[in-house]
Amino acid sequence: MIVVESSRVPWSIMLPETIDAYRTCEFATLSKDGTPIAWPTSGLRTVDGGFLLTTSLGYPQKAFNVRRDDRVALLFSDPTASGLDRPSQILVRGTATCSEQIHTDPTGDLGRFWSMILARQPGSQRYLDWPVTRLIDFYFMRLVIRVTPTEVTTRELPEPLAPETNGVIGSSVLSTYPTAVLAARAASGAPTLVRTTVATTTDGYQVAPPALGPDMTGPASLLVHQHDERLSGLHNAVVLGSLDGDGLLRPSRLIEPAGRQGAGPAETLRTMRALRGTTKRYLDRRGLARPTIPWAAYRAIRAELRSE
């Protein structure tokens, strides 16, 4: 049985220990054509009852989406490395802002954020060593997204049930995952998220009935992602499509930007070059010089973590 509880009180006083234990969350925004699309990220609770997320200049699309339509959703639903025993999935819906300011200094909330990332993902600490710093400086050029929650919903996590592979767009990827995150539009048009199971059909993916709400039809997507206990071994992919009134998502496109199966060093280098190119275009279009990264400040955080 699925149990759903909702509240419109500040989310920071609801389930804080569970939320803090999750290493990642899924973040949904509305794309230019209105399709809700989610990607995995790491976030930080803030003292004002909000949430801080960041995205590097190499991946600015989430920022563009928020600036165009501020309705967003966060879902905490992958308990890997959390230490939680049978946790709930927690949906936080609300609005978001993202200014044009590029943040490079690890101070204030961003200092807390970077301490969390470098501790939970120790592999990222090598990004602070030369000559890696010359290649990956864009990773430390961050746009800050602040989420103001308006609703918190809890729901049981689904029992695992991986879909089959049958040649439908994305089935070779989705079949390796026991669950997926559905991003759809609620009756209000705002994005909503739920971790669920899907069954492969000849026409697409049949979403398990408990995951569906009223009027959740139209553009939608399915996200799968994974990481290990140290936030390494990353992989994520999204199947875009359209959800009909019977809960069938008809896929139109697969996006697999991270950890693509069979990717080797050459693919990694191409990805790095592409991200640096995206960063350069972002700066050039705004007439901005490439920001200088205060490496000593980040290395001080790393040294403190290693001394604990």
Side-chain angles (χ1 to χ4, degrees):
M1 178 180 180
I2 300 295
V3 179
V4 178
E5 301 172 352
S6 297
S7 175
R8 294 188 181 278
V9 300
W11 78 279
S12 59
I13 67 174
M14 294 186 60
L15 310 166
E17 293 182 358
T18 301
I19 289 173
D20 288 348
Y22 274 105
R23 271 21 186 183
T24 60
C25 61
E26 295 85 26
F27 179 52
T29 60
L30 294 173
S31 64
K32 191 173 184 179
D33 67 1
T35 300
I37 184 169
W39 294 107
T41 188
S42 294
L44 180 74
R45 283 195 307 127
T46 53
V47 296
D48 61 359
F51 212 86
L52 180 145
L53 309 174
T54 73
T55 187
S56 79
L57 294 194
Y59 291 104
Q61 191 59 54
K62 292 187 288 292
F64 297 156
N65 290 350
V66 166
R67 292 168 185 167
R68 184 176 53 252
D69 192 320
D70 67 356
R71 296 174 295 177
V72 300
L74 286 169
L75 184 68
F76 299 84
S77 68
D78 180 355
T80 303
S82 69
L84 298 170
D85 183 23
R86 295 186 61 81
S88 300
Q89 56 176 303
I90 303 172
L91 173 65
V92 179
R93 297 175 62 194
T95 59
T97 61
C98 182
S99 74
E100 289 280 353
Q101 183 179 358
I102 300 170
H103 297 262
T104 58
D105 292 321
T107 57
D109 282 342
L110 277 174
R112 294 173 55 217
F113 171 82
W114 282 112
S115 292
M116 179 185 72
I117 293 297
L118 294 174
R120 291 182 170 183
Q121 189 181 40
S124 64
Q125 295 182 19
R126 70 179 184 274
Y127 299 162
L128 301 176
D129 295 327
W130 191 90
V132 179
T133 53
R134 296 192 61 181
L135 297 175
I136 206 164
D137 61 339
F138 65 85
Y139 181 75
F140 298 91
M141 302 174 192
R142 294 281 168 153
L143 301 172
V144 170
I145 299 171
R146 292 189 179 272
V147 177
T148 300
T150 57
E151 181 180 352
V152 178
T153 304
T154 64
R155 185 191 295 262
E156 293 179 359
L157 285 168
E159 293 297 325
L161 179 64
E164 298 179 353
T165 300
N166 69 345
V168 171
I169 293 173
S171 66
S172 62
V173 177
L174 266 62
S175 64
T176 64
Y177 285 86
T179 61
V181 173
L182 172 68
R185 298 187 70 156
S188 65
T192 190
L193 294 167
V194 62
R195 184 171 287 273
T196 184
T197 57
V198 297
T200 310
T201 74
T202 56
D203 296 318
Y205 301 99
Q206 185 66 49
V207 179
L212 299 174
D215 302 319
M216 284 174 56
T217 59
S221 60
L222 288 168
L223 163 69
V224 290
H225 69 98
Q226 67 182 20
H227 59 81
D228 63 19
E229 299 290 318
R230 297 165 69 85
L231 289 185
S232 185
L234 304 177
H235 173 262
N236 56 73
V238 167
V239 173
L240 301 175
S242 181
L243 189 66
D244 68 21
D246 296 321
L248 179 68
L249 187 140
R250 300 177 184 274
S252 59
R253 182 185 176 197
L254 170 68
I255 306 174
E256 194 176 9
R260 189 176 60 83
Q261 296 174 357
E267 179 71 17
T268 300
L269 182 59
R270 282 194 292 271
T271 299
M272 192 73 65
R273 287 175 175 171
L275 295 176
R276 290 184 64 83
T278 300
T279 299
K280 186 177 185 302
R281 287 191 295 275
Y282 186 97
L283 295 170
D284 288 349
R285 289 170 182 172
R286 290 158 178 79
L288 300 174
R290 198 175 189 89
T292 299
I293 310 300
W295 297 114
Y298 289 97
R299 288 169 182 147
I301 295 175
R302 181 177 65 178
E304 183 177 352
L305 291 172
R306 290 179 175 180
S307 67
E308 294 177 353

